[in-house]
């Protein structure tokens, strides 16, 4: 009789009690023979569990992925740092170490400033700059407050503009554009030199210290320096005789010449009125006569006032003609 194969026997009827008996017999036969062949397993169910399904759906959410990849690591690091800085000893040690590193970097030789160089300034102005920008050299460039120093330098009357920078070699370079005096202004406070725009340059102790500069006087003359310079330029042949310009009522000028002669200019178009006087002088030698003043406040009707000596002489001549004696 042929032996029964357990596999073929297991493939027998699969319904009802006969199937269960066949499977039991097959297992017994395999156990007696020591058959190591694994019994066929049931196929795994492909459907995931409920928790796995929810986690998969949650991972597909962009905001959840962004939180896990970016926010969560940063929050963990911030929490660790916060816990470390919660200790006062740790905070003190950290600030001390930062201050030490900062000091070591700032005091390196390549950052040290050793000298100051000033270009474009006269000797007195350079001395004033060194006084207000007093620096104890050597000093780190990080300790220099250049904006504040620049503001102090530009506040000087004689400085039109300035520039500061630290150049190679540890030199603090200061470039100055100095105001050039154009006129001398005589006011109740004394003599002051002004530039072509009316800005104060410096105080002048004596008029004779700058004889090359013209003189202006009167209230508000410092605000009309541009017009004064234009009058001086158009004076032409009268310039050698000119002693100065006087501002009257903060609205017009008087030209003062030697021999105490005065030319009264109008408020409007003073250059044209002065040109008329210059033309009359060149044609008739007007200002070479005994004239005390020439009133051009009404250019259409110039008025000439003679000196007292000339008036007396004119009266005497008229008396001779009339046979009258003036005493």
């Amino acid at each position: 009789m042929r032996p029964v194969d357990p596999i073929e026997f297991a493939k027998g009827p699969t319904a009802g009690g006969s199937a269960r008996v066949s499977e039991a017999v097959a297992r017994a036969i395999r156990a007696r023979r020591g058959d190591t062949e694994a019994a066929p397993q049931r196929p795994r169910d492909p459907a995931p569990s409920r928790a796995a399904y929810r986690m998969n759906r949650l991972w597909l959410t962009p905001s959840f992925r962004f939180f896990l990849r970016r926010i969560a690591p940063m929050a963990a690091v911030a929490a660790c740092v916060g816990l470390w800085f919660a200790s006062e000893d740790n905070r003190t040690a950290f600030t001390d170490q930062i201050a030490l590193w900062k000091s070591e970097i700032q005091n390196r030789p390549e950052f040290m400033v050793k000298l100051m160089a000033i270009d474009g300034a006269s000797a007195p102005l350079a001395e004033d700059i060194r006084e207000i920008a007093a620096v104890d050299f050597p000093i780190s460039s990080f300790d220099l407050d250049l904006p504040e120093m620049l503001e102090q330098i530009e506040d000087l009357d004689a400085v039109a503009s300035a520039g500061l920078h630290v150049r190679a070699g540890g030199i603090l370079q200061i470039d100055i554009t100095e105001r050039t005096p154009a006129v001398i202004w005589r006011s109740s406070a004394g003599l002051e030199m002004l530039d072509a725009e009316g800005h104060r340059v410096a105080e002048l102790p004596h008029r004779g210290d700058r004889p090359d500069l013209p003189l202006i006087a009167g209230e508000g003359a410092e605000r009309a320096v541009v017009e004064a310079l234009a009058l001086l330029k158009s004076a032409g042949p009268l310039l050698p005789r000119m002693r100065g310009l006087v501002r009257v009522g903060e609205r017009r000028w008087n030209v003062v010449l030697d021999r105490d002669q005065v030319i009264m200019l109008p408020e409007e178009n003073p250059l044209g009125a002065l040109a008329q006087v210059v033309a009359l002088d060149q044609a008739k030698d007007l200002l070479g006569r005994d004239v005390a003043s020439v009133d051009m406040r009404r250019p259409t009707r110039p008025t000439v006032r003679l000196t007292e000596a000339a008036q007396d002489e004119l009266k005497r001549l008229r008396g001779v003609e009339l046979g009258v004696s003036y005493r």
Side-chain angles (χ1 to χ4, degrees), residues 113-166:
V113 180
K114 307 177 183 66
L115 297 172
M116 178 189 295
I118 301 176
D119 294 337
S122 60
L125 179 58
E127 187 64 26
D128 293 340
I129 293 174
R130 294 184 187 277
E131 289 182 1
I132 65 172
V135 180
D136 294 332
F137 295 107
I139 185 174
S140 174
S141 59
F142 292 95
D143 296 331
L144 289 174
D145 191 351
L146 296 183
E148 181 180 358
M149 189 180 300
L150 177 63
E151 183 178 356
Q152 291 176 349
I153 293 174
E154 289 184 339
D155 285 341
L156 294 174
D157 293 328
V159 176
S161 62
L164 276 77
H165 66 275
V166 178

Side-chain angles (χ1 to χ4, degrees), residues 33-50:
R33 290 183 179 183
D35 189 1
T36 59
E37 181 181 357
Q41 297 181 358
R42 299 174 64 182
R44 190 177 70 86
D45 187 4
S49 65
R50 182 175 297 178

Side-chain angles (χ1 to χ4, degrees), residues 17 83 91 96-97 110 119 126 145 149 155 165 171-172 184 206 209 242 250 278 288-289 294 299 324:
L83 289 174
R91 294 196 302 270
D96 292 344
Q97 188 64 37
E110 55 266 29
D119 294 337
D145 191 351
M149 189 180 300
D155 285 341
H165 66 275
I171 300 176
L172 177 60
I184 299 175
H206 304 287
D209 295 339
M242 190 175 296
E250 300 187 27
V278 172
R289 305 175 184 273
V294 179
V324 179

Side-chain angles (χ1 to χ4, degrees), residues 59-289:
W59 181 253
L60 293 177
T61 306
S63 59
F64 181 76
R65 292 201 307 271
F66 177 81
F67 176 79
L68 288 183
R69 292 176 178 176
R70 303 291 178 86
I71 304 300
M74 295 174 59
V77 172
C80 295
V81 173
L83 289 174
W84 191 85
F85 275 102
S87 174
E88 184 177 357
D89 295 337
N90 292 341
R91 294 196 302 270
T92 304
F94 179 79
T95 54
D96 292 344
Q97 188 64 37
I98 294 297
L100 179 61
W101 289 343
K102 181 179 178 181
S103 177
E104 289 178 353
I105 294 175
Q106 291 181 352
N107 293 325
R108 290 180 63 85
E110 55 266 29
F111 297 131
M112 300 302 290
V113 180
K114 307 177 183 66
L115 297 172
M116 178 189 295
I118 301 176
D119 294 337
S122 60
L125 179 58
E127 187 64 26
D128 293 340
I129 293 174
R130 294 184 187 277
E131 289 182 1
I132 65 172
V135 180
D136 294 332
F137 295 107
I139 185 174
S140 174
S141 59
F142 292 95
D143 296 331
L144 289 174
D145 191 351
L146 296 183
E148 181 180 358
M149 189 180 300
L150 177 63
E151 183 178 356
Q152 291 176 349
I153 293 174
E154 289 184 339
D155 285 341
L156 294 174
D157 293 328
V159 176
S161 62
L164 276 77
H165 66 275
V166 178
R167 61 181 178 141
I171 300 176
L172 177 60
Q173 180 67 42
I174 303 177
D175 298 318
I176 300 296
T177 301
E178 189 172 357
R179 298 188 189 278
T180 302
V183 296
I184 299 175
W185 176 42
R186 184 188 297 275
S187 65
S188 58
L191 297 176
E192 295 180 357
M193 291 186 294
L194 309 178
D195 67 358
E197 297 179 354
H199 294 286
R200 184 180 185 275
V201 176
E203 184 178 353
L204 187 65
H206 304 287
R207 173 70 177 95
D209 295 339
R210 293 299 302 267
D212 56 311
L213 296 179
L215 180 68
I216 63 175
E219 190 70 23
E222 77 282 6
R223 294 188 293 272
V225 174
V226 176
E227 187 179 42
L229 292 175
L231 290 173
L232 292 169
K233 185 177 180 180
S234 63
L238 298 182
L239 192 59
R241 297 187 52 195
M242 190 175 296
R243 298 174 59 182
L245 298 174
V246 178
R247 191 70 170 170
V248 180
E250 300 187 27
R251 56 187 180 83
R252 67 175 194 85
W253 292 99
N254 280 350
V255 180
V256 181
L257 306 176
D258 56 5
R259 295 170 49 194
D260 295 330
Q261 291 179 327
V262 178
I263 302 174
M264 302 178 184
L265 300 178
E267 181 178 357
E268 297 181 0
N269 193 22
L271 295 176
L274 182 59
Q276 284 184 267
V277 176
V278 172
L280 288 173
D281 181 63
Q282 290 180 332
K284 302 294 184 179
D285 193 21
L286 174 65
L287 298 175
R289 305 175 184 273

